[in-house]
Amino acid sequence: MKFTKMHGLGNDYIYVNCFEEFVENPSEVAKKVSDRHFGIGSDGLVLIMPSDKADFRMRMFNSDGSEAEMCGNAIRCVGKYVFDNGMTNKNVITVETLAGIKVLELFMQDNKVKLVKVDMGEPILTPANIPVLSDKEIFKAEPVCVDGREFKVTCVSMGNPHAVSYIDNVDAFPLEQIGPKMETHSLFPRKINAEFVEVIDRTTLKMRVWERGAGETLACGTGACAVLVASVLNGVSERKATVKLLGGDLIVEWNEKDNHVYKTGPAVKVFEGEIDLKCL
């Protein structure tokens, strides 16, 4: 199987061009190639596929083999891949995902994609659609007890579910202890991506993320969008802010006119290779 390793702010995936390759049982392949000791090493596997609804289709699998609806960092890399490899000559493309069709605007440097702006669509705030087991109109600053500690949690879906909590010191936060317990809390029937946020100022938010099926990652694009939406709802940020992640910064805006969330950040190719899956 030929592959390309790429990352968005350190959120790294193995990308396979399924216009040329066929991946049998991608869930098992994701687990094998993601292993950082015995495989290639990544947060998961992304398949770039034909679509009858958009320019391209993206399927993505976490490192534990579970299929995810959407990843904001991964989809930026899809945009870079298809342009840099001559699969499109357009600087605005559409990509089909399980979270709907996303629009990507590609920004070039030396005729290669450097930055990608993604229209992430409208945030979903209705608890049943996130999903969260709650009869509230929106799940905002609601008390959730995890490991004997109470968090004020705001839930947002950006095509996948997120639970955002605010803390004083994100660097010192015991994410490895709290993250998996928030992910699997009984309130969240499909599990949850858990973001823990320190408000630096009204245009700067610092976060760490525990992702469903992957654990802590260096960046989560949908998570950064959820954090911005939650922060506006809670009155702690402007509608456009820099979201600082372990892997770098994203610019996120929740546009008041169309209610869409826009995210701009880098996409980087690391290397290409070929792997014999039978050897794994």
Side-chain angles (χ1 to χ4, degrees):
M1 182 182 78
K2 293 181 180 179
F3 69 88
T4 301
K5 181 166 177 172
M6 306 180 77
H7 78 86
L9 300 183
N11 194 193
D12 59 339
Y13 290 90
I14 305 304
Y15 293 78
V16 179
N17 180 357
C18 290
F19 286 77
E20 299 176 354
E21 300 276 338
F22 174 74
V23 179
E24 187 175 358
N25 197 349
S27 179
E28 286 302 311
V29 171
K31 289 190 279 188
K32 290 180 177 180
V33 300
S34 297
D35 191 294
R36 297 189 184 274
H37 298 287
F38 296 100
I40 302 165
S42 70
D43 291 325
L45 172 72
V46 174
L47 308 182
I48 302 172
M49 311 175 74
S51 171
D52 57 6
K53 301 176 181 177
D55 294 318
F56 302 95
R57 178 185 176 202
M58 177 182 91
R59 288 186 73 190
M60 61 161 300
F61 297 82
N62 295 313
S63 57
D64 69 351
S66 60
E67 186 167 8
E69 299 92 339
M70 171 61 184
C71 172
N73 291 312
I75 202 170
R76 292 203 312 277
C77 291
V78 169
K80 178 176 175 63
Y81 185 101
V82 296
F83 185 90
D84 288 2
N85 286 282
M87 298 168 71
T88 184
N89 60 4
K90 299 190 294 185
N91 62 2
V92 177
I93 64 169
T94 55
V95 179
E96 178 189 354
T97 76
L98 287 180
I101 294 175
K102 305 301 178 185
V103 179
L104 281 60
E105 185 176 358
L106 313 177
F107 298 92
M108 316 301 169
Q109 185 178 80
D110 300 324
N111 205 35
K112 291 190 180 295
V113 173
K114 181 74 172 178
L115 293 172
V116 180
K117 181 178 181 179
V118 184
D119 179 351
M120 302 290 286
E122 297 186 61
I124 297 167
L125 302 177
T126 304
N129 297 333
I130 293 175
V132 182
L133 299 180
S134 171
D135 57 4
K136 301 282 186 180
E137 185 175 342
I138 63 173
F139 199 88
K140 184 184 82 170
E142 294 293 333
V144 176
C145 189
V146 175
D147 204 35
R149 179 172 173 177
E150 184 179 278
F151 295 89
K152 296 297 176 99
V153 175
T154 300
C155 290
V156 178
S157 173
M158 292 303 308
N160 55 358
H162 296 271
V164 179
S165 307
Y166 295 91
I167 56 177
D168 293 332
N169 186 338
V170 73
D171 293 326
F173 184 73
L175 184 62
E176 298 79 5
Q177 174 187 341
I178 302 297
K181 294 178 181 178
M182 185 71 82
E183 175 193 359
T184 57
H185 195 283
S186 59
L187 276 171
F188 311 123
R190 292 175 58 194
K191 300 186 180 179
I192 203 95
N193 297 284
E195 286 81 26
F196 299 90
V197 183
E198 179 182 343
V199 178
I200 306 300
D201 55 45
R202 292 191 60 83
T203 58
T204 313
L205 305 164
K206 187 176 181 181
M207 63 171 272
R208 288 171 67 191
V209 58
W210 184 272
E211 292 198 54
R212 279 186 314 175
E216 182 172 20
T217 60
L218 294 176
C220 176
T222 54
C225 294
V227 162
L228 189 278
V229 171
S231 298
V232 172
L233 292 174
N234 283 282
V236 298
S237 84
E238 303 299 331
R239 298 187 75 96
K240 183 176 183 179
T242 298
V243 181
K244 305 181 78 65
L245 306 100
L246 292 180
D249 296 351
L250 291 171
I251 306 299
V252 184
E253 179 182 7
W254 186 11
N255 189 287
E256 196 166 10
K257 292 181 179 178
D258 62 12
N259 198 39
H260 284 219
V261 180
Y262 295 87
K263 173 184 62 65
T264 304
V268 178
K269 173 183 171 182
V270 184
F271 62 85
E272 295 177 335
E274 189 170 346
I275 188 168
D276 185 350
L277 296 174
K278 296 177 183 178
C279 294
L280 295 180

